[in-house]
């Protein structure tokens, strides 16, 4: 179940943060709220629906590069880096 209050606060926090991903081609960003007064509940709900409709941001260029590397047989997985990332993620989940 989704905690609507926490979810709305998270949306408000994300929407007021600078959108650095907008500098990357093929990546869409969330709508932002102008500084000053906090957004209304209806505005937050509208923003949440808009974000849900967009789906997760996808870097089309990166997807194309990975597909090509898989097709060429040149895709390399750094198993040590992957294992370390999994351990870091696991440590965060335990806290």
């Amino acid at each position: 179940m989704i905690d609507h209050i926490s979810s709305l606060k998270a949306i408000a926090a994300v929407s007021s943060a600078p959108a650095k991903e907008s500098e990357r081609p093929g990546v869409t960003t969330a709508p932002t709220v102008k500084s000053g007064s906090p957004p209304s509940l209806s505005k937050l709900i509208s923003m949440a629906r808009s974000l849900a409709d967009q789906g997760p941001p996808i870097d089309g260029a990166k997807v194309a590069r990975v597909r090509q590397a898989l097709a060429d047989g040149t895709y390399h997985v750094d198993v040590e880096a992957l294992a370390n990332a999994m351990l870091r993620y696991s440590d965060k989940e335990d806290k």
Side-chain angles (χ1 to χ4, degrees):
M1 177 163 172
I2 297 174
D3 177 359
H4 294 289
I5 302 297
S6 296
S7 299
L8 294 175
K9 287 179 182 176
I11 291 169
V14 168
S15 65
S16 62
K20 292 181 182 176
E21 286 186 320
S22 64
E23 298 169 1
R24 294 182 9 212
V27 176
T28 59
T29 58
T32 58
V33 176
K34 294 180 182 177
S35 298
S37 63
S40 66
L41 181 58
S42 62
K43 179 70 175 173
L44 289 174
I45 291 171
S46 173
M47 290 171 58
R49 283 190 181 127
S50 174
L51 289 171
D53 289 343
Q54 289 178 12
I58 297 173
D59 185 341
K62 185 173 184 179
V63 170
R65 286 192 308 270
V66 171
R67 280 187 180 163
Q68 188 61 48
L70 287 169
D72 295 345
T74 58
Y75 184 78
H76 173 73
V77 176
D78 184 346
V79 293
E80 187 174 334
L82 177 61
N84 287 332
M86 291 171 67
L87 289 172
R88 284 191 308 272
Y89 178 79
S90 175
D91 287 342
K92 289 180 184 178
E93 291 295 311
D94 291 340
K95 292 180 182 178

